[in-house]
Every structure is written in C-alpha cells, then in structure tokens.
C-alpha cells in the first residue's frame, strides 16, 4: 500500500495523483533542489514548497508486477496429458454399475406416461385456443350485424318525411270507419 502524508493530507490505501511539472518527473537525488537552489515551481505565497528537499517518488517503479513467462508445453507433454484424461474417463465409465433392466423399463414407462400427459395437455390447450378463436369470430359477426342494424336505423331516421297520398281504397276504408263510428255513437243515445 502507498502511504504518504507529505502530499496532500495523508492517503491510506490508494495513491493520490500529485500534480508534478513535467520537467520534475525525472528522478532526482534527495536534496537536489536545496543544493542547487532552484525551486521546482513557485513557492505558494511564502510557504515552503513541498518538493524542496524531498525525493520525488518513482511512480512507474511499482506499477508493473513481473510475471513468470508462459511455459509452452511440448507435444509429448500434451500427448501425455491427453492420454491421462482419456484413461480417467474410461476408469470413471467402468466404475459405473450396470443398469438394471427392471429399472430401465420403469424409467421408459415413466417417460411414456410423461409424453402422454404432455400430448393430452397440448391437445386441451389447442382445443381451448380454437374455441376462443371461434367465440371471437362469433362476437365479431354479432357486432357487425348490430352495427349494420344501427346503420340501417340511422339511415331510416335520417330520411326526410315525405307524406304520401292515400290510395282510393284507403280513403274509402277510412270514410267507412268514420261512418260506422258515428252510427255507433248515435245508437247509444
């Protein structure tokens, strides 16, 4: 861990990035600036510059961790590993107990029952879907018939009223009805 309290109030556990002028990123021996009298940058209002007399840490030094080089396997090593893996697989297969015929028949029967149940459920689902489609079509047909009826009624209501002249037979029937009513009223008196 990088712990340093000199650059910005002490950071523990993480590296603080420090603003360092480019010309100072080269490594100098401790006390270089004190010996030469050259300040790395302007002192802040008379305060002592934090870089004076302080060795600049080499940040590149601990950034990279060296790793061991990758060891390429030879053909013989790869072949031996492959043979060992095949032998382990064979040993594992030979160690398995043989399957009992009764247990195998039981498994097959259970699988057949599962398949039948699955087919039954699928058929029920398909029938329900087809029934739903038929119901939807019937509702659509009823709605279309109702809409046509409503449109016919609206068209009938929108037609202007044109009085029609009664025929001679209708006029005679109306006159006879009035005459009979008048006779009936006169007979009651």
């Amino acid at each position: 861990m990088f712990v340093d309290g000199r650059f910005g109030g002490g950071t523990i556990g993480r590296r603080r990035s420090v603003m360092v002028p480019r010309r100072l990123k080269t490594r100098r021996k401790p006390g270089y600036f004190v010996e030469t009298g050259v300040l790395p940058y302007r002192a802040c209002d008379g305060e002592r510059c934090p870089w004076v007399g302080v060795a600049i840490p080499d940040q590149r030094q601990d950034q990279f961790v060296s790793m061991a080089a990758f060891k390429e396997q030879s053909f013989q090593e790869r072949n031996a590993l492959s043979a060992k893996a095949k032998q382990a697989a064979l040993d594992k297969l030979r160690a398995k107990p043989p399957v009992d015929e009764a247990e195998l028949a039981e498994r097959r029967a259970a699988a057949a029952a599962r398949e039948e149940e699955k087919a039954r459920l699928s058929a029920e689902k398909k029938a329900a879907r087809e029934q739903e489609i038929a119901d939807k079509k019937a509702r659509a047909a009823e709605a279309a018939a109702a809409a046509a009826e409503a449109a016919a009624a609206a068209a009938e209501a929108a037609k202007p009223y044109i009085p029609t002249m009664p025929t001679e037979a209708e006029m005679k029937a109306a006159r006879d009805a009035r005459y009979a009513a008048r006779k009936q009223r006169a007979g009651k008196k």
Side-chain angles (χ1 to χ4, degrees), residues 117-159:
E117 181 68 17
K118 190 174 178 182
R120 186 184 63 78
L121 288 174
S122 175
E124 286 178 4
K125 197 182 233 184
K126 186 176 179 183
R129 196 176 319 123
E130 288 174 356
Q131 181 64 35
E132 186 179 335
I133 290 171
D135 291 346
K136 195 181 281 187
K137 283 182 180 177
R139 285 194 301 269
E142 288 174 9
E149 224 176 272
E156 186 67 33
K159 268 204 254 179

